[in-house]
Amino acid sequence: MDFRPRNQRNQSISELRYTYSARNLWSGFLFGIGLVAFIDETIFHQLLNLHHFYDKSTSSIGLVSDGLFHALSWFATVGSLFMFADLRRRKGLWLKRWIGGVLLGAGAFQLYDGTIQHKLMRLHQIRYNVDILPYDLIWNIAAAIMILIGITIVILTRSSLLKMKEDGRHAQ
């Protein structure tokens, strides 16, 4: 059964990609945020127990802050997957653009965490009682690499969109 709106049922794949390009990007972006936040929470907060989301108080407050952080990442992930499912249902999923959004969201969140939360707000550090510079460099360089790869993919898909627009092969 075709769940697309009646006016989109006869559109080609390229027209559907044009129509849903922003939704593909935002779904991937939210998924990237949720994925990296989940990995951060699971590995650094729970398994390695290196820090809590908020380390300026008691361990109990730290655990509560971790729970709120985990809930936020879960909502971002679930919301993005609902968008993903809707894109598939409408036959408008553009996986390459979605992956570009995932990398952008993951890198943006990690860079935000490493600069704003770790350094400016000083909510927590990756580790304590060690030379933090190698950890900060790895954390932020990995974020920058994800952002650069994500931007590259988005630019490549955007050039496809511009070509579709020039050729007049998009939905009006």
Side-chain angles (χ1 to χ4, degrees), residues 8 13 32 42 54-55 69 71 76-77 80 99 118 120 122 126 136 153 164 170:
Q8 293 176 357
I13 295 296
T42 302
Y54 183 72
D55 275 342
F69 177 55
T77 305
S80 73
I99 289 170
H118 293 182
L120 292 177
R122 298 192 178 276
I126 296 172
D136 286 339
I153 293 171
M164 282 183 239
H170 65 280

Side-chain angles (χ1 to χ4, degrees), residues 16-147:
L16 289 167
R17 285 180 173 176
Y18 183 87
T19 301
Y20 295 113
S21 63
R23 190 177 299 183
N24 275 279
L25 187 62
W26 280 110
S27 172
F29 192 85
L30 276 175
F31 187 80
I33 289 172
L35 177 65
V36 167
F38 173 78
I39 291 169
D40 179 24
E41 166 71 22
T42 302
I43 293 173
F44 295 101
H45 296 224
Q46 294 174 3
L47 296 176
L48 297 176
N49 200 22
L50 296 179
H51 61 264
H52 295 294
F53 179 75
Y54 183 72
D55 275 342
K56 293 186 173 191
S57 187
T58 65
S59 290
S60 295
I61 297 296
L63 287 173
V64 169
S65 70
D66 284 348
L68 294 172
F69 177 55
H70 188 68
L72 173 74
S73 71
W74 184 243
F75 284 126
T77 305
V78 169
S80 73
L81 291 175
F82 271 102
M83 291 172 72
F84 185 90
D86 183 58
L87 286 165
R88 285 205 45 163
R89 180 177 60 86
R90 294 173 183 265
K91 302 193 182 349
L93 179 64
W94 190 356
L95 197 57
K96 186 174 183 179
R97 190 160 177 89
W98 188 82
I99 289 170
V102 170
L103 290 167
L104 271 176
F109 178 81
Q110 189 161 325
L111 190 61
Y112 164 80
D113 184 42
T115 55
I116 305 298
Q117 291 181 356
H118 293 182
K119 300 303 171 201
L120 292 177
M121 297 172 73
R122 298 192 178 276
L123 294 177
H124 62 268
Q125 292 297 322
I126 296 172
R127 290 199 61 190
Y128 292 97
N129 304 318
V130 296
D131 180 16
I132 196 73
L133 183 61
Y135 292 94
D136 286 339
L137 288 174
I138 291 169
W139 192 262
N140 292 325
I141 289 171
I145 289 169
M146 286 188 281
I147 290 170

